[in-house]
Amino acid sequence: VLFALKQHGAVPVDVHVWRIVTRDYDPALREAKSLTPAVYERVGDAFRRRFGAVFAGWAHSLLFGAEFGALRAQLPAKM
């Protein structure tokens, strides 16, 4: 939906995306106690800095999917 609305720089943040950012792009975010609006924005900014506003959303989608690589083997073949 974000891409259909031409929001390529949008980065939806959940615990998995937070892990990606704290592990790979902004380790200081590990200190955050909760996902406040400021922390949410900082996570998105980490993606936008690394991949640019045009590709941040795409990078999010690819990296988010890669986090679940081990689960792919458990999916039915038709999926």
Side-chain angles (χ1 to χ4, degrees), residues 50-64:
R50 174 67 176 91
F51 301 104
V54 174
F55 298 110
W58 293 101
H60 162 273
S61 295
L62 291 171
L63 293 170
F64 182 84

Side-chain angles (χ1 to χ4, degrees), residues 31-76:
E31 302 301 318
K33 301 290 183 211
S34 64
L35 190 58
T36 64
V39 172
Y40 191 101
E41 189 66 23
R42 190 167 159 189
V43 170
D45 287 346
F47 270 85
R48 287 183 283 277
R49 273 193 313 275
R50 174 67 176 91
F51 301 104
V54 174
F55 298 110
W58 293 101
H60 162 273
S61 295
L62 291 171
L63 293 170
F64 182 84
E67 285 292 296
F68 298 100
L71 296 177
R72 287 188 195 144
Q74 297 176 16
L75 294 174

Side-chain angles (χ1 to χ4, degrees), residues 1-24:
V1 172
L2 296 173
F3 301 133
L5 297 172
K6 299 186 188 229
Q7 298 298 311
H8 302 280
V11 178
V13 179
D14 68 357
V15 68
H16 306 288
V17 175
W18 186 333
R19 276 190 211 134
I20 292 167
V21 170
T22 59
R23 181 187 65 218
D24 299 332

